[in-house]
Amino acid sequence: MDSIGKSFIRKDARDKVTGRAKYVDDYTRADMLFGATARSSETHAKILSVDIRAALKIPGVRGVYTHKDIPGKNIVPLVLPDYPFLAEDTVKFRGQAIALVAADTLDAARKASKLVKIKYRPIPAVYDPLESIKKNAPKIYGDDNIFRKFVVTKGDAEAAFEKCDAVVEGVYTTNYQVHAYLETQGMMAAPTDTGMVVHGSMQCPFYVLNAVSDILGYTQNRVRIIQTTTGGGFGGKEDVPSIVAGHTAMLAYITKRPVKIIYDREEDFVSMSKRHPGYAEIKYGASRDGKILAAKVRYILDGGAFSTLSPIVLWRGTIHAAGPYDIADVKVETYAVATNKVPCGAFRGFGQPQINFANESLIDELAEKLAMDPLKLRLKNALKPESLTITNQKVGPSCGLAETIEKAAAEIKWGEKRNSSAKKNNSYSKKYIRRGVGMASTIYGVCLGAGGRFLAKAGAHVQIQQDGSVTVAVGNTDMGQGARTVLSQIAAEGLGAPYALVDVIEPDTSRVPDSGPTVASRTTVMSGNAILDACKAIRSRIDPIVREMAGAEARAAVTADGGFYVVGGGAVDRDPRRGATGKKIPYAEAVKKCHAERVNLTYDGWWTEKGTTFDPMTGLGDAYIVYTFSTTAVEIEVDTLTGEVEILKIVGAHDIGRAVNPMLAQGQIQGGALQGAGYATMENLIVKNGVMLNPNFSGYTIPTSVDAPPEIIPVIVEKEFPDGPYGAKGLGEPPLISVAPAVANAIYDAVGIRIKSLPAIPEKILEAIKNSR
């Protein structure tokens, strides 16, 4: 980000009157201003006054601005219109933006932001979502503090519980998780003669386009958003970059200068979205032989002060709330609730890790009550192709759940280690170290599903240049997950072009089609299919030229092989009188001939999800186009003297459809597993009365390479999805989801204590061990 705006100045680049650079790419540090934000010190209060006089006295400060200076709308365009770019008369969480400073230097901007004097009148606040939904709670959103509520009613759960031989129930809670992306939130905005250009770290350029257009009051064709290299997003670069970009663009608009805003890590912590804390009450009932007959779930997400993406996160959690099992009778109620704390948004897994922790922990408790191996219980109830999900959707042929369970169990050596004499007799070298194994499974709906149908689209621009090189433009972004590589492979395969000639350009809203957000493991399926749509159209123009060059008839098949088009070889070509059977035409020559004959080798592809449905009254319908299935198995050691957990081995078995790039898929599994291990055992954000006590990496611990288990074993199961590009589904989210319950189940196997709240930090485990004695 620091490199933005260092471009070389041409001799004719400066305006003779103003002395400023004429062109966006010609700004230097001498032209650029730096922005900083004055934030609320209260969790819920009325703003009585904002005094900027002391801030304006700092040398180099060019201006201090509040909501009154916004030229357009003061609402961040997300799901619900409740989050202002800058607070007006009320603040709802500590860290909410109130004023913006523009200055010549970053130090001056930050110093001035701390001198903005804000007078408040505190009003009652609420920090617990269970308290927030009570009738007499302070009101943060609407009449009931509920951003969104969903229900799923399949069959009659209460009646089914009456017929069960074994019933288990429990309450499970999870804490925040911080995205910990490589670089903090950062944007640079520069005014042009016609509008505004914004560069920044983001997942969803078209979300940012909406936000910048709204805050400036510009039509969207006057705004250009360019994603710069983004070192990980995990959902944290989905919604809130709209806020940062809006602030930066507002300052650039007012000052008529380029402006850069880069958060430091603490500011990022206190103001940007997190994984929602979760609360789940869950109940399972089964017959004596282990068939699960009924499930009941009450699931609450702590959304924080503003809704951001809570309604969508909650919807995904709702659809998956009973786990990856074939259950005839299900009742689910879910709520996204407002509190006076930092707003929560998207995070890898999108509402599923919280409820999966509850699901899979309780499945092990049910197995114990039935005196049944948890492995066998999962296999007995696992969804199969002919099964119905809790929304009554038939799973379909692309279903490898049972295979993921079996392969994960085999890799962890379940039968041997679950019943090992070494564990029972405590015969390890250190008597206070106990070892255990655990597993957990999950189902994951690919793409946005019926809950995000208005975004379920993708476009792709594909062009073959005269020299045979290929330009591909899509609106989805690469954040290190390998999207450019995979999409380049799909384009190369679809066109028959050498992979080395394909380039997927950086997302720029003036050059690429809107492909929806880069979330929900949807890029490979959505953009991949849009690319194939374009490639199919272009090939329909190339192939006749290739047949002509080969002297073949119009019905001759044309296939691609290693930089050549091979003409003939299909059933229709077996008659030798047709000629050209097996003749190879070099790709480069074919492209050259097409351009010589003025054949259009450019096409805009398009793909949309079809067939998803959801009844908001019953929660039934075909929620997603397809599902992935995963099982995580772990082996851990627990130090009974300190409560510390060491993860020795993680196995992640994932049915992802066709693996377009197996090496990248394995990397996704390994990275997600480590992130899940952090969520399970160490990432503990402490928020008391709305105040974050450890907003930095000194106090908030994340796993490093030193903390990685000695073994993280990826296992890929390929149950191909007929409507996916070359049979692919998706992978980005699932590797994290089931790690935490697998670890919790392994802790129980090792020391006999059931951890029902995350993270499973040493203090919590040690206290539970002491209490059990």
Side-chain angles (χ1 to χ4, degrees):
M1 293 296 299
D2 282 338
S3 64
I4 293 175
K6 289 184 181 176
S7 304
F8 177 73
I9 298 287
R10 300 194 304 268
K11 289 182 179 179
D12 64 341
R14 292 193 178 277
D15 186 281
K16 292 180 180 178
V17 177
T18 66
R20 291 199 303 269
K22 290 181 181 179
Y23 310 104
V24 171
D25 294 333
D26 292 321
Y27 284 110
T28 66
R29 285 188 180 276
D31 296 291
M32 187 178 297
L33 300 177
F34 293 84
T37 310
R39 300 187 178 276
S40 169
S41 60
E42 299 292 323
T43 58
H44 200 194
K46 291 291 184 181
I47 299 174
L48 302 179
S49 65
V50 179
D51 185 346
I52 65 174
R53 289 174 294 179
L56 288 172
K57 292 178 182 179
I58 299 297
V61 169
R62 300 289 176 168
V64 182
Y65 310 99
T66 68
H67 71 92
K68 296 176 183 178
D69 301 296
I70 292 175
K73 299 176 184 177
N74 187 26
I75 287 291
V76 184
L78 294 168
V79 181
L80 301 175
D82 65 324
Y83 198 165
F85 283 103
L86 294 172
E88 296 186 2
D89 59 353
T90 305
V91 291
K92 295 185 178 181
F93 75 98
R94 182 183 173 101
Q96 185 176 348
I98 297 174
L100 301 173
V101 178
D104 291 340
T105 67
L106 180 59
D107 287 344
R110 288 180 173 171
K111 185 176 181 180
S113 70
K114 300 195 184 318
L115 292 177
V116 176
K117 296 178 181 178
I118 304 161
K119 288 186 178 180
Y120 306 93
R121 177 170 57 83
I123 53 181
V126 60
Y127 308 113
D128 183 335
L130 300 182
E131 294 296 320
S132 182
I133 56 178
K134 291 180 178 178
K135 190 174 182 179
N136 60 350
K139 294 299 178 278
I140 307 169
Y141 179 83
D143 296 328
D144 56 9
N145 289 337
I146 296 174
F147 292 129
R148 193 61 55 89
K149 174 186 177 181
F150 294 108
V151 296
V152 175
T153 306
K154 177 187 178 187
D156 188 339
E158 292 300 338
F161 277 115
E162 294 296 323
K163 302 174 184 177
C164 294
D165 299 307
V167 176
V168 292
E169 54 189 316
V171 176
Y172 302 85
T173 61
T174 59
N175 197 6
Y176 294 96
Q177 188 177 18
V178 178
H179 297 90
Y181 24 64
L182 195 61
E183 79 279 334
T184 57
Q185 300 285 350
M187 297 284 168
M188 194 282 279
T192 68
D193 290 340
T194 58
M196 187 70 63
V197 176
V198 178
H199 292 74
S201 177
M202 67 190 81
Q203 288 180 236
C204 307
F206 286 88
Y207 282 13
V208 176
L209 175 67
N210 293 339
V212 173
S213 299
D214 279 5
I215 196 171
L216 298 184
Y218 280 172
T219 55
Q220 292 187 355
N221 64 341
R222 297 181 64 190
V223 177
R224 182 181 171 197
I225 309 298
I226 302 169
Q227 184 225 17
T228 58
T229 301
T230 300
F234 314 116
K237 298 293 177 73
E238 180 181 354
D239 49 353
V240 286
S242 293
I243 300 170
V244 187
H247 290 169
T248 312
M250 173 186 164
L251 291 178
Y253 174 91
I254 294 170
T255 64
K256 296 181 173 54
R257 298 271 294 276
V259 176
K260 182 193 290 189
I261 293 180
I262 307 288
Y263 287 2
D264 64 26
R265 189 62 70 173
E266 184 167 329
E267 183 177 22
D268 198 292
F269 260 79
V270 300
S271 63
M272 297 289 97
S273 62
K274 312 282 178 285
R275 187 187 299 285
H276 296 73
Y279 171 90
E281 300 170 3
I282 187 164
K283 181 179 180 182
Y284 282 130
S287 61
R288 196 169 284 105
D289 65 353
K291 174 59 183 168
I292 302 175
L293 303 177
K296 184 177 180 180
V297 179
R298 182 172 182 251
Y299 178 36
I300 297 173
L301 290 177
D302 183 346
F306 298 103
S307 62
T308 67
L309 298 175
S310 289
I312 304 173
V313 173
L314 181 72
W315 188 80
R316 176 175 284 279
T318 303
I319 302 305
H320 301 82
Y325 302 112
D326 188 344
I327 308 173
D329 296 278
V330 179
K331 179 68 175 181
V332 176
E333 291 184 358
T334 63
Y335 306 83
V337 179
T339 60
N340 290 114
K341 295 186 291 188
V342 63
C344 294
F347 198 125
R348 194 178 196 172
F350 222 72
Q352 281 192 239
Q354 300 95 315
I355 194 63
N356 186 251
F357 171 63
N359 294 145
E360 290 300 282
S361 296
L362 195 62
I363 285 293
D364 265 35
E365 293 188 54
L366 179 60
E368 183 176 36
K369 189 160 189 176
L370 291 165
M372 190 174 186
D373 187 327
L375 168 64
K376 292 181 180 178
L377 182 62
R378 286 181 170 84
L379 286 171
K380 184 176 184 67
N381 294 282
L383 287 167
K384 301 174 180 61
E386 66 276 10
S387 300
L388 298 177
T389 68
I390 69 167
T391 67
N392 254 356
Q393 178 178 2
K394 187 176 180 180
V395 173
S398 180
C399 176
L401 176 57
E403 191 173 342
T404 69
I405 295 171
E406 290 166 345
K407 289 192 171 182
E411 282 288 348
I412 208 72
K413 298 181 180 177
W414 181 267
E416 172 189 333
K417 293 183 177 179
R418 180 84 179 175
N419 303 302
S420 69
S421 58
K423 182 177 66 181
K424 286 182 177 179
N425 299 328
N426 198 23
S427 60
Y428 296 115
S429 58
K430 295 180 179 179
K431 296 292 184 182
Y432 51 86
I433 300 294
R434 303 303 301 267
R435 188 170 293 192
V437 293
M439 69 163 49
S441 298
T442 191
I443 175 177
Y444 182 87
V446 177
C447 300
L448 297 172
R453 290 177 64 185
F454 66 102
L455 291 172
K457 61 188 179 181
H461 173 83
V462 179
Q463 180 176 7
I464 302 179
Q465 310 289 351
Q466 289 190 28
D467 62 357
S469 60
V470 179
T471 300
V472 178
V474 296
N476 292 127
T477 60
D478 195 317
M479 302 163 285
Q481 80 275 37
R484 291 185 68 186
T485 300
V486 167
L487 296 180
S488 294
Q489 286 182 263
I490 290 171
E493 185 78 11
L495 292 172
Y499 170 78
L501 293 180
V502 180
D503 180 43
V504 178
I505 66 174
E506 65 179 0
D508 175 339
T509 56
S510 68
R511 300 178 62 192
V512 302
D514 185 357
S515 298
T518 308
V519 298
S521 303
R522 67 188 294 274
T523 298
T524 297
V525 172
M526 299 298 295
S527 285
N529 274 329
I531 288 169
L532 285 181
D533 180 56
C535 291
K536 183 179 179 180
I538 293 171
R539 280 291 301 272
S540 72
R541 300 165 183 172
I542 293 175
D543 288 1
I545 299 295
V546 169
R547 293 188 188 100
E548 178 186 325
M549 294 172 72
E553 294 190 0
R555 295 173 60 199
V558 179
T559 57
D561 181 22
F564 292 87
Y565 291 115
V566 182
V567 183
V572 75
D573 305 307
R574 288 174 184 161
D575 184 348
R577 291 173 296 177
R578 294 186 182 276
T581 300
K583 185 169 184 180
K584 292 185 175 183
I585 304 297
Y587 165 81
E589 291 184 15
V591 170
K592 184 177 180 181
K593 177 74 170 174
C594 286
H595 277 285
E597 298 196 11
R598 295 173 294 175
V599 175
N600 181 12
L601 299 185
T602 301
Y603 195 85
D604 289 331
W606 190 253
W607 200 78
T608 60
E609 293 180 38
K610 296 180 178 66
T612 57
T613 60
F614 183 75
D615 182 343
M617 299 302 294
T618 64
L620 302 182
D622 293 346
Y624 289 95
I625 56 172
V626 72
Y627 295 88
T628 66
F629 301 90
S630 308
T631 299
T632 299
V634 303
E635 182 177 12
I636 59 104
E637 284 184 349
V638 179
D639 186 325
T640 60
L641 298 182
T642 65
E644 292 175 288
V645 174
E646 182 180 358
I647 302 176
L648 305 175
K649 184 177 184 178
I650 301 177
V651 178
H654 297 268
D655 165 26
I656 61 173
R658 178 84 175 273
V660 175
N661 189 308
M663 183 177 71
L664 287 177
Q666 290 171 359
Q668 281 288 302
I669 293 170
Q670 291 169 327
L674 185 58
Q675 197 171 35
Y679 184 53
T681 63
M682 63 175 67
E683 297 188 41
N684 190 36
L685 191 65
I686 301 170
V687 179
K688 295 211 172 163
N689 296 327
V691 179
M692 204 174 291
L693 302 183
N694 56 335
N696 50 60
F697 291 139
S698 299
Y700 181 85
T701 307
I702 62 172
T704 68
S705 56
V706 176
D707 303 298
E711 293 183 274
I712 302 179
I713 300 175
V715 177
I716 296 174
V717 174
E718 296 183 292
K719 298 293 183 183
E720 294 190 8
F721 171 42
D723 292 331
Y726 302 108
K729 292 195 283 191
L731 178 62
E733 320 268 328
L736 178 148
I737 294 172
S738 55
V739 176
V743 170
N745 290 336
I747 292 171
Y748 184 83
D749 185 48
V751 294
I753 59 166
R754 175 60 60 186
I755 297 297
K756 294 192 175 185
S757 65
L758 292 180
I761 56 176
E763 296 89 340
K764 196 179 296 182
I765 294 171
L766 190 59
E767 182 180 1
I769 290 173
K770 289 178 179 178
N771 290 340
S772 70
R773 289 171 181 167

